[in-house]
Amino acid sequence: MTVKQKKERAEAFHAVLKDLYPNPECALLYGGDPWRLLVMARLSAQCTDARVNIVSETLFAEFPTAEAMAEGELARIESIVRPCGLFRTKAQSIKQMSVQLLEQHGGRVPDTMEELLALPGVGRKIANLILGDIYGKGGVVTDTHCIRIGGRIGLYPESLKDPVKVERMLTPLIPSEEQSDFCHRIVQFGRDVCSARTPHCDICPAKGLCDHAKKKK
């Protein structure tokens, strides 16, 4: 498939997603606070968004700001985020990123990929989420749903699981102003229809576009 054909398929697939999810929202309930989204995105690694939302209620009740988190006792932060898994690493990350934001950015979450990647625990996935949701700059968030479904649709080999390679392949196929909404929609689609173990190809409105569905016939 040529790049032009992939663009056309990506556009057609996104049109299906737009019909299904006309008002996409981030699954992390961060209340519009960039720092909270940064913290919650770090907690979401290998953890469900639903669990992060629950844990974050307690976390932000006790540590409501970057200043409070930076000054917080690490052991207490660990005890709160324990249900999210990898709690020692995550607690250290969110404490240290808060310290670094205050010391180097005046408490403001930066708006460039380079500056975001310099924060403890922040990779391209989190950086793109911040750039897209907070600053409207676009950015493809290659979470497990995005990686899986893009491959099934045929935008790259289904065997490709490297998030950085997937990001590079998807970025030119989705207009920058639509990338954030596309990623939120594809997450919901992955939960509702195109699940990892048992995709519901029989009821999928995008099956006519999908290489994976065609192989199953």
Side-chain angles (χ1 to χ4, degrees), residues 11-26:
E11 182 180 355
F13 177 52
H14 196 195
V16 172
L17 295 182
K18 287 176 183 177
D19 285 340
L20 286 174
Y21 311 107
N23 301 301
E25 294 182 348
C26 182

Side-chain angles (χ1 to χ4, degrees), residues 70-138:
E71 296 171 1
E73 182 185 356
L74 183 59
R76 177 56 185 154
I77 300 171
E78 288 177 350
S79 70
I80 296 175
V81 304
R82 180 184 284 268
C84 294
L86 304 172
F87 66 95
R88 288 193 175 88
T89 301
K90 290 180 179 180
Q92 187 171 38
S93 291
I94 62 177
K95 179 178 170 65
Q96 288 304 312
M97 72 167 57
S98 298
V99 170
Q100 194 162 315
L101 283 175
L102 293 167
E103 292 181 347
Q104 299 182 14
H105 302 283
R108 179 179 181 272
V109 174
D111 61 355
T112 68
M113 176 65 74
E114 182 180 15
E115 290 174 309
L116 286 165
L117 291 178
L119 295 172
V122 175
R124 293 190 65 85
K125 175 183 169 183
I126 294 177
N128 278 320
L129 178 65
I130 296 294
L131 292 174
D133 275 40
I134 301 300
Y135 296 111
K137 293 188 173 185

Side-chain angles (χ1 to χ4, degrees), residues 29-40 55-73 76-77 80 94-95 98 101-102 107 109:
L29 305 178
Y30 65 99
D33 184 323
W35 170 75
R36 291 193 178 195
L37 180 58
L38 191 63
V39 169
M40 295 175 78
V55 169
S56 294
E57 288 186 21
T58 303
L59 182 67
F60 294 140
E62 194 156 332
F63 306 104
T65 63
E67 290 85 354
M69 188 73 75
E71 296 171 1
E73 182 185 356
R76 177 56 185 154
I77 300 171
I80 296 175
I94 62 177
K95 179 178 170 65
S98 298
L101 283 175
L102 293 167
V109 174

